[in-house]
C-alpha cells in the first residue's frame, strides 16, 4: 500500500531552474546581510509587505532584522547583490523538522525581488542558492507557499520545484473551550 503523504525528497524538474537565465543569475552574489545592508533590506521588506497589503511598522522590521542578524536565531536571510553592491532581492528561510520523513527541510518564508529588478534573474539566483544551501546542510527539501494568483512568481517556481497537492490553513491561537480545560498536561 502506498501513502499519499510525501515522506522523502520530491521529484524535481529534470533540470531545475531556467537555463536561459543562468548567465544573468551568475551576475549576482548571494550572501547573508551585514550591518551596511540594513536600509536596503528594509526597503525590500517594505516592498514585500506592501505587495501583500500588510502594514509595515518599524518595530516589526527591527524585530525581523534582529532575527536575521543573530546567528543563533533559526531565521536566516540570503541577499542577492548586484555588481554595484546593491541588494536586489532577498530570501528569508529556516530549517524545519519533517517527522514523517525523519529529516530536516528548508522552509522559504519570503522571496522578494526589487520591483526595478524583476525579470533580471534575481529569483533564479536566490532559488539556486537555496538549493545549494539545502544540499550543504543535508536538508531534504526546500518548501514554500505562494498565492494561487501569483502567476508571475509561479512561472519561475514551476521551473524549480514540483507543485504539491497540499492546501494550507492558518489557525488563530486561542484558549481552550471550557469543556476542554485540563486536557493539556
Amino acid at each position: 500500500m502506498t501513502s499519499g503523504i510525501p515522506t522523502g525528497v520530491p521529484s524535481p524538474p529534470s533540470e531545475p531552474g531556467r537555463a536561459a537565465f543562468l548567465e544573468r543569475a551568475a551576475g549576482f552574489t548571494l550572501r547573508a546581510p551585514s550591518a551596511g545592508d540594513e536600509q536596503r533590506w528594509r526597503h525590500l521588506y517594505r516592498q514585500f509587505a506592501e505587495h501583500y497589503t500588510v502594514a509595515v511598522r518599524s518595530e516589526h522590521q527591527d524585530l525581523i532584522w534582529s532575527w536575521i542578524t543573530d546567528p543563533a536565531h533559526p531565521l536566516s536571510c540570503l541577499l542577492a547583490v548586484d555588481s554595484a553592491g546593491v541588494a536586489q532581492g532577498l530570501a528569508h528561510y529556516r530549517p524545519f523538522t519533517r517527522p514523517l520523513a525523519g529529516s530536516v527541510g528548508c522552509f522559504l518564508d519570503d522571496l522578494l525581488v526589487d520591483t526595478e529588478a524583476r525579470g533580471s534573474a534575481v529569483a533564479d539566483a536566490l532559488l539556486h542558492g537555496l538549493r545549494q544551501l539545502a544540499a550543504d546542510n543535508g536538508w531534504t527539501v526546500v518548501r514554500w507557499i505562494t498565492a494561487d494568483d501569483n502567476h508571475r512568481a509561479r512561472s519561475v517556481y514551476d521551473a524549480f520545484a514540483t507543485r504539491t497537492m497540499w492546501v494550507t490553513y492558518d489557525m488563530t491561537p486561542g484558549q481552550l473551550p471550557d469543556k476542554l480545560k485540563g486536557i493539556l498536561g
Side-chain angles (χ1 to χ4, degrees):
M1 181 170 146
T2 61
S3 168
I5 298 174
T7 57
V9 178
S11 300
S14 58
E15 289 292 324
R18 301 183 298 174
F21 286 79
L22 280 174
E23 191 171 319
R24 285 190 278 166
F28 296 96
T29 301
L30 303 177
R31 62 173 174 75
S34 63
D37 295 312
E38 184 174 359
Q39 291 311 309
R40 184 64 181 170
W41 173 86
R42 285 177 180 272
H43 167 77
L44 293 170
Y45 191 80
R46 270 191 307 277
Q47 283 187 20
F48 182 75
E50 289 166 359
H51 174 77
Y52 287 104
T53 63
V54 174
V56 179
R57 298 181 339 267
S58 62
E59 306 83 43
H60 181 100
Q61 283 189 309
D62 293 345
L63 178 62
I64 305 305
W65 181 255
S66 76
W67 290 349
I68 64 173
T69 57
D70 176 358
H73 195 281
L75 184 66
S76 296
C77 179
L78 191 62
L79 295 177
V81 180
D82 66 17
S83 60
V86 178
Q88 298 295 339
L90 64 79
H92 293 144
Y93 65 96
R94 60 190 158 82
F96 74 101
T97 55
R98 304 181 65 211
L100 275 176
S103 67
V104 175
C106 172
F107 194 83
L108 170 59
D109 284 288
D110 310 316
L111 188 139
L112 180 277
V113 174
D114 186 274
T115 55
E116 301 298 317
R118 301 234 167 112
S120 66
V122 173
D124 296 72
L126 287 165
L127 290 168
H128 278 295
L130 286 168
R131 287 185 73 236
Q132 183 66 57
L133 285 171
D136 293 348
N137 285 287
W139 296 334
T140 57
V141 68
V142 179
R143 178 173 291 157
W144 64 93
I145 61 173
T146 194
D148 189 52
D149 65 352
N150 193 352
H151 302 291
R152 184 171 185 167
R154 286 181 53 203
S155 71
V156 176
Y157 300 159
D158 288 345
F160 281 86
T162 303
R163 182 180 174 181
T164 70
M165 65 179 188
W166 301 105
V167 176
T168 62
Y169 292 88
D170 288 338
M171 181 169 59
T172 304
Q175 300 298 312
L176 281 170
D178 288 340
K179 290 187 178 189
L180 297 179
K181 297 287 186 197
I183 67 168
L184 287 174

